[in-house]
């Protein structure tokens, strides 16, 4: 158990819908990362927050957004869902914002029908 | 071309064998990570290294910065080592992970 929690574990929804994925980092970690793992693209970095502020952005679609709250939990919002958004979404956390080992949550499996 | 290349893509071994998985990357990095992903999907961080060698139990990770190459070794492999092993790097001055495609390891008893 990494200490990072993600909810829900599984999510099934329809195209065009909007969903919110939630992540709680390990106690003491200030940085949260979001990753997407799909069959055709593998693991890809989406976005990083550190202590409430966005620190780095990767291949995140405009339909996706994220935020980190004062209690350091983070949410990833996915809207206007398409079939291709079906994937495993992982959250990871680390102590600092740079050059740190990252600890991964169990992931949320999103299926868009 | 992927910036992080892993080989082999698939590997089948007999229990007890010594296993090596290789990772090459194209530009300067600040750190290299080895991750393990089990069939259930969860990802575990095995090593983070920027130079030399690290050992944890039967796992050994090495990195050669000049050659831009890292290896993950598993000694006395066991069926429970069956998983996908993923190499990832953090570029210099960056803080996002860039991942290799992964190596699917199956250890038969």
């Amino acid at each position: 158990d990494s200490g990072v929690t993600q909810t829900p574990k599984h999510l099934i929804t329809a195209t065009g819908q909007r969903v919110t994925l939630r992540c709680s980092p390990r106690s003491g970690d200030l940085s949260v990362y979001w990753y997407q793992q799909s069959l055709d693209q593998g693991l890809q970095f989406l976005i990083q927050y550190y202590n409430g502020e966005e620190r780095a952005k990767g291949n995140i679609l405009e339909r996706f957004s994220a935020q980190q709250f004062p209690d350091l939990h983070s949410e990833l919002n996915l809207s206007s869902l398409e079939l291709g958004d079906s994937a495993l979404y992982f959250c990871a956390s680390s102590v600092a914002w740079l050059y740190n080992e990252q600890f991964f949550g169990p992931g949320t499996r999103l299926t868009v029908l | 071309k992927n910036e992080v290349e892993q080989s082999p893509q698939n590997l089948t071994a007999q229990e007890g064998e010594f296993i090596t998985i290789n990772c090459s990357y194209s530009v300067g990095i600040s750190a290299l990570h080895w991750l393990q992903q089990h069939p259930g999907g969860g990802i575990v961080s095995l090593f983070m290294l920027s130079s030399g060698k690290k050992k944890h139990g039967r796992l050994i990770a090495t990195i050669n910065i000049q050659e831009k190459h890292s290896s993950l070794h598993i000694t006395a492999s066991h069926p429970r080592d069956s998983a996908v092993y993923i190499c990832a790097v953090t570029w210099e001055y960056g803080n996002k992970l860039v991942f290799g495609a992964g190596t699917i390891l199956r250890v038969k008893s």
Side-chain angles (χ1 to χ4, degrees), chain A residues 94-108:
Chain A
S94 66
V95 170
W97 75 279
L98 201 60
Y99 309 148
N100 272 208
E101 185 175 10
Q102 296 181 25
F103 297 88
F104 286 78
T108 293

Side-chain angles (χ1 to χ4, degrees), chain A residues 2 33 35 37 43-45 48 55-59 88 90 97-106 109, chain B residues 30-31 33 35 37 39-48 86 90-97 99-100:
Chain A
S2 67
Y33 310 77
Y35 297 95
Q37 186 177 36
L43 268 163
Q44 290 195 96
F45 167 76
Q48 179 203 6
R55 279 289 182 170
K57 217 165 185 174
N59 301 323
L88 260 172
F90 288 100
W97 75 279
L98 201 60
Y99 309 148
N100 272 208
E101 185 175 10
Q102 296 181 25
F103 297 88
F104 286 78
R109 185 174 294 278
Chain B
S30 59
H33 306 248
L35 310 170
Q37 185 171 28
I43 296 175
V44 174
S45 175
L46 298 175
F47 296 102
M48 174 182 151
I86 303 167
T90 310
W91 302 127
E92 276 181 318
Y93 315 117
N95 49 3
K96 67 174 190 179
L97 289 180
F99 300 88

Side-chain angles (χ1 to χ4, degrees), chain B residues 55-68:
Chain B
K55 184 175 189 289
H56 181 70
R58 295 179 296 104
L59 301 178
I60 303 165
T62 63
I63 189 168
N64 184 319
I65 296 293
Q66 287 72 33
E67 294 186 5
K68 295 185 173 55

Side-chain angles (χ1 to χ4, degrees), chain A residues 41-62:
Chain A
Q41 301 269 21
L43 268 163
Q44 290 195 96
F45 167 76
L46 294 178
I47 197 163
Q48 179 203 6
Y49 279 84
Y50 175 76
N51 206 19
E53 290 189 11
E54 183 185 304
R55 279 289 182 170
K57 217 165 185 174
N59 301 323
I60 188 165
L61 300 171
E62 282 191 17

Side-chain angles (χ1 to χ4, degrees), chain A residues 53-84:
Chain A
E53 290 189 11
E54 183 185 304
R55 279 289 182 170
K57 217 165 185 174
N59 301 323
I60 188 165
L61 300 171
E62 282 191 17
R63 300 183 285 108
F64 296 0
S65 64
Q67 54 184 323
Q68 186 179 27
F69 294 86
D71 68 352
L72 300 176
H73 92 271
S74 177
E75 292 181 357
L76 179 67
N77 300 295
L78 315 176
S79 61
S80 302
L81 285 167
E82 301 175 0
L83 296 177

Side-chain angles (χ1 to χ4, degrees), chain B:
Chain B
K1 184 181 184 296
N2 200 359
E3 296 163 303
V4 181
E5 298 278 352
Q6 279 187 244
S7 63
Q9 283 187 305
N10 290 278
L11 183 55
T12 300
Q14 282 297 131
E15 183 174 357
E17 284 185 0
F18 181 86
I19 288 164
T20 296
I21 299 170
N22 296 299
C23 176
S24 298
Y25 50 92
S26 54
V27 294
I29 64 169
S30 59
L32 184 141
H33 306 248
W34 282 103
L35 310 170
Q36 180 193 56
Q37 185 171 28
H38 275 283
I43 296 175
V44 174
S45 175
L46 298 175
F47 296 102
M48 174 182 151
L49 63 166
S50 54
S51 65
K53 178 178 170 176
K54 286 190 176 180
K55 184 175 189 289
H56 181 70
R58 295 179 296 104
L59 301 178
I60 303 165
T62 63
I63 189 168
N64 184 319
I65 296 293
Q66 287 72 33
E67 294 186 5
K68 295 185 173 55
H69 180 270
S70 174
S71 293
L72 176 68
H73 305 287
I74 305 175
T75 61
S77 59
H78 189 276
R80 65 174 174 267
D81 298 326
S82 299
V84 178
Y85 292 83
I86 303 167
C87 171
V89 300
T90 310
W91 302 127
E92 276 181 318
Y93 315 117
N95 49 3
K96 67 174 190 179
L97 289 180
V98 178
F99 300 88
T103 295
I104 302 171
L105 171 65
R106 181 179 168 220
V107 181
K108 298 195 289 187
S109 56

